[in-house]
Amino acid sequence: MSDIERNAIVVGVTGGVACGKSEVGRILECMGYRACDADHVAHALMAKGTAVFKDIVEFFGKRILSDDGEIFRPALGTIVFEDPDKRARLNALVHPAVRSAIERWISERRARGENGAVQIPLLFESGMNDLGFNGIICVSASDTLVLERLKKHGIDNDEAMKRIRSQMPLVEKERLSDFVVRNLGSLQELEEATQQAVEWLSVER
C-alpha cells in the first residue's frame, strides 16, 4: 500500500431506519469527506434496462413497474417488507452489484488519497462490513424519535414497525460498530458527535 493510500480514511456509516445516516453523511461531506450512498448506488443499478432491473422484474413481475416502465420502489417495498423470503431474494439480486460498485469507489478514494464515507443501511446484513473500512459508525436514535420521524414522512406505526423489524436490531448494529453516534437532540449535537467519531478514527487508525 502506498503512502497516499495509507493516508486515506474510508469510513462506513450505518444505523437504523430514520436515525440520521444521511445527515451524518452530509456532515462528513462538510468536513472534507467524499460521500457515497449505497441507496443511490442501488437506484442507479435498478434503472430501466440494466441487468439488475431485468432480474428483479423477472422475479417480481410487471406489477412493480410505474407507467414509465421504471421500478416503482414503494410498490416493491410493500412486497418485500411484508415477506422475508421475497426481501431476501431482492437483496440477493441487488447486493452483489452494489458491493462491486462500492468496492470500486473505495479503491478510487484510496488511490487518490481522499477520505470517504459510505452510507450503507444494511452494512452488516449484507456482509459489507468486510470492505476494509478504517472504522464503522453506527447512527442511533430512540424508538420514539424514529417513529416520530417516519410519521412526518407519512408512514404509519404499523408500516414503520415493519421497516424497523426488517433490519438487524439497532442494539446489535451498535455492538458491531466501532463508534456510535447518537442522534437524540439538535443538529449541533449531531455535528459534535460526528466530530468526535472523526477524531477517534484519526487516532485509532
Side-chain angles (χ1 to χ4, degrees):
M1 182 182 290
S2 68
D3 288 340
I4 289 177
E5 291 174 316
R6 275 193 291 268
N7 287 334
I9 296 176
V10 181
V11 60
V13 180
T14 192
V17 176
C19 283
K21 298 179 293 295
S22 295
E23 192 61 39
V24 168
R26 185 196 64 77
I27 293 168
L28 288 169
E29 273 194 286
C30 292
M31 296 171 67
Y33 281 69
R34 293 289 300 277
C36 175
D37 188 326
D39 281 345
H40 294 169
V41 173
H43 289 183
L45 291 169
M46 293 166 61
K48 184 179 179 180
T50 64
V52 174
F53 170 91
K54 293 174 183 176
D55 289 341
I56 292 173
V57 174
E58 181 179 352
F59 182 79
F60 289 95
K62 294 184 177 181
R63 59 179 173 155
I64 64 169
L65 299 180
S66 58
D67 292 340
D68 62 2
E70 295 283 357
I71 291 174
F72 186 50
R73 295 181 66 84
L76 181 58
T78 297
I79 294 170
V80 299
F81 282 126
E82 293 182 353
D83 189 325
D85 291 335
K86 287 186 172 65
R87 183 166 65 249
R89 180 56 180 164
L90 176 64
N91 289 341
L93 293 172
V94 177
H95 285 173
V98 172
R99 180 188 178 94
S100 294
I102 291 175
E103 283 179 329
R104 291 192 296 271
W105 189 89
I106 292 174
S107 294
E108 185 175 350
R109 298 287 74 69
R110 293 202 183 283
R112 296 183 178 186
E114 298 174 339
N115 293 340
V118 188
Q119 300 167 45
I120 311 178
L122 302 181
L123 187 147
F124 294 112
E125 294 93 328
S126 63
M128 292 190 210
N129 52 303
D130 66 355
L131 290 179
F133 294 113
N134 294 94
I136 295 173
I137 296 172
C138 177
V139 187
S140 178
S142 68
D143 290 345
T144 300
L145 281 174
V146 166
L147 291 173
E148 286 179 0
R149 291 167 185 165
L150 290 174
K151 186 175 181 179
K152 289 179 180 178
H153 286 86
I155 299 172
D156 63 33
N157 276 10
D158 287 343
E159 182 64 23
M161 292 308 300
K162 287 178 185 177
R163 297 191 180 199
I164 293 170
R165 290 167 182 159
S166 72
Q167 296 189 4
M168 176 185 291
L170 185 54
V171 65
E172 184 67 6
K173 291 188 179 188
E174 291 179 355
R175 186 185 68 81
L176 293 170
S177 298
D178 298 299
F179 198 96
V180 178
V181 170
R182 304 195 185 281
N183 183 15
L184 304 173
S186 67
L187 177 58
Q188 181 179 345
E189 289 171 326
L190 183 61
E191 290 173 346
E192 291 172 353
T194 303
Q195 177 65 49
Q196 290 175 2
V198 169
E199 291 173 355
W200 174 86
L201 281 168
S202 299
V203 172
E204 290 296 318
R205 66 192 298 273

